[in-house]
Structure formats: structure tokens, C-alpha cells
Amino acid sequence: MLSEEIPYTAAYAPAMSLREMMEAYGSDVWNYAFFLTRSREQANDISQEVFLKAYKNVGKYRGQSSMKTWLLTITRNTAFSWRKNSFWRRFIALGDQPIAVNAPSAENEALGNQYANRIWEIIMTLPEKNREVLVLDIQHGLSIAEMSDLLNVAQGTVKSRLARARDKVKEAIQKEERE
């Protein structure tokens, strides 16, 4: 679910409360944390930590990127820090569990929902670099430039990773349809 991007400038930073920040970007941060960790519990903890860090450091926000991109960067860095922690290594990611996709639950859309769930399952099996750009594109609607800034890689790298990810998903779907 994409949140509506709120125009945000550094001058506006002190006026935004923690609650407003969480309401505007909470689902984006949580979804991204979940895709990085494959664990609901980890995503909950990381999301809380992200918003506390962001609120504490909102005065340092320079406005060079959107607030959403800034928060997703904090999310990414926090998730990677958790991975490096020895506590994190004791747990196995829950990647084999079905991924829930927000979709209408009407009976006539059940087949479409199953198909969407399967696509997300395929996406979750992609190598991390490919999965990450695809999630940022599909789930968060970031542009190539925003992904480049967030991931600290060239725009060409983002484009090639995105193309590879899309190709791998397409190949997996075609393979399943043949079977």
C-alpha cells in the first residue's frame, strides 16, 4: 500500500509530530523492513526504531530527498545493522511462509489474489539486490533516482538490477505455467 507523499522541507521538520510521521509513512517503513528481514517481529522492532531515530534526528533532515526516501534509507541501514548483530544471526528468516498481499477479499477476486501471492513469493526468493529494487519499485513507487540515492549505487546499476529482477520473476512465472 503506497502512502501519499507529503511535501516536506527541512523548515517543516520541527512541526511534524512522531504520530504524523508514523501515520504518513508507517506502512511503507514496515513493509520495507519486512521485505528486508522476512520477519514480522523484526519488521515491528525495526519500524519502531526507525521512527524513533527519525524523530530524534528530524532536525538533521536536509531535504535533499523526499521524507519517504529518507525514512526508507534509515530503515535499510537499521535492518542491515540488525543483521550484523550476533543476536540476529541466531534466528532464521521466515521466508518460507506465504506472503500476505493487501487485496480486496471478494470471492470473484480469489484467483487473482492467489496469483498475486505467488508472485510475491517468487519475489521473496530473488537475490537480495534484485529483490530490494523490485520491492522499492512495486511496493514503494520510488523512482530510479530515488532508489539510486537510497541504495548508494549508480542509476545504471539500479536499472540493470530492476531489469534482472523483472526477468527472473517473468521466467519463474512462465516455468510454473508450463508445469
Side-chain angles (χ1 to χ4, degrees):
M1 196 187 287
L2 295 174
S3 68
E4 204 171 300
E5 185 66 22
I6 295 175
Y8 197 87
T9 63
Y12 179 64
M16 185 174 243
S17 72
L18 179 60
R19 176 179 294 242
E20 291 170 329
M21 195 182 302
M22 290 177 74
E23 286 174 359
Y25 304 103
S27 63
D28 291 319
V29 168
W30 189 91
N31 286 330
Y32 190 43
F34 177 76
F35 279 108
L36 291 172
T37 63
R38 299 181 187 192
S39 165
R40 292 181 188 282
E41 293 79 19
Q42 297 283 332
N44 289 338
D45 292 342
I46 289 170
S47 296
Q48 290 176 7
E49 189 172 331
V50 165
F51 283 109
L52 291 175
K53 285 179 181 180
Y55 187 70
K56 182 178 176 182
N57 296 301
V58 74
K60 296 177 184 177
Y61 174 70
R62 296 180 303 225
Q64 293 176 328
S65 62
S66 70
M67 174 59 89
K68 182 177 176 179
T69 302
W70 183 64
L71 287 170
L72 293 179
T73 301
I74 295 170
T75 304
R76 183 175 193 262
N77 292 338
T78 302
F80 288 168
S81 293
W82 278 58
R83 284 186 189 169
K84 291 177 187 174
N85 185 331
S86 63
F87 179 76
W88 167 259
R89 289 185 216 139
R90 294 182 201 154
F91 294 93
I92 298 171
L94 302 175
D96 294 335
Q97 294 184 353
I99 306 303
V101 175
N102 294 337
S105 61
E107 276 185 45
N108 60 351
E109 295 184 16
L111 188 57
N113 289 343
Q114 288 176 343
Y115 187 70
N117 285 339
R118 183 60 193 135
I119 290 172
W120 282 111
E121 289 172 3
I122 292 168
I123 289 171
M124 293 303 289
T125 66
L126 294 175
E128 186 173 334
K129 290 179 179 183
N130 298 119
R131 181 179 72 236
E132 189 170 25
V133 293
L134 199 54
V135 167
L136 290 171
D137 178 49
I138 295 170
Q139 189 75 19
H140 299 287
L142 295 186
S143 68
I144 299 292
E146 288 173 321
M147 285 188 264
S148 173
D149 289 342
L150 188 142
L151 300 173
N152 241 0
V153 297
Q155 288 186 22
T157 303
V158 171
K159 289 178 185 177
S160 66
R161 287 180 184 175
L162 197 53
R164 280 190 208 113
R166 288 175 179 155
D167 287 345
K168 288 180 180 189
V169 170
K170 184 179 177 180
E171 288 171 12
I173 291 169
Q174 288 173 345
K175 181 180 176 184
E176 284 185 9
E177 287 174 352
R178 285 191 300 260
E179 293 176 356

